[in-house]
């Protein structure tokens, strides 16, 4: 995924678009591929768009895991 696509994904996530949030979570949770640099890039973009005075907590996991 090129950086431009990651930037678009980050802006869509910050806008609250459900599909983009799902795609972002899938990218972050993906341990099967070597996407570590893309994961770090997306997180960096999201942190730069998140005001410092807000805490962001994400809880994920398979259904029935007790989230």
């Amino acid at each position: 995924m090129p950086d431009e696509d990651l930037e678009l994904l980050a802006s869509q996530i910050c806008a609250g678009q459900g599909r983009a949030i799902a795609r972002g979570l899938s990218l972050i949770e993906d341990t099967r591929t070597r996407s570590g640099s893309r994961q770090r890039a997306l997180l960096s973009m999201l942190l730069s768009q998140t005001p410092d005075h807000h805490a962001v907590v994400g809880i994920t996991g398979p259904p029935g895991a007790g989230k």
Side-chain angles (χ1 to χ4, degrees):
M1 180 177 288
D3 284 346
E4 298 83 27
D5 291 343
L6 285 177
E7 289 174 11
L8 176 61
L9 180 60
S11 66
Q12 291 172 338
I13 289 170
C14 289
Q17 295 181 13
R19 287 185 182 199
I21 293 169
R23 286 182 55 217
L25 286 172
S26 293
L27 174 64
I28 297 302
E29 293 180 332
D30 188 6
T31 59
R32 293 174 293 158
T33 63
R34 299 176 189 266
S35 58
S37 62
R38 294 183 309 152
Q39 292 165 333
R40 286 187 295 277
L42 178 60
L43 287 173
S44 177
M45 290 175 198
L46 291 172
L47 288 173
S48 71
Q49 295 182 30
T50 304
D52 292 335
H53 62 278
H54 289 102
V56 177
V57 177
I59 301 172
T60 65
K67 299 178 286 296

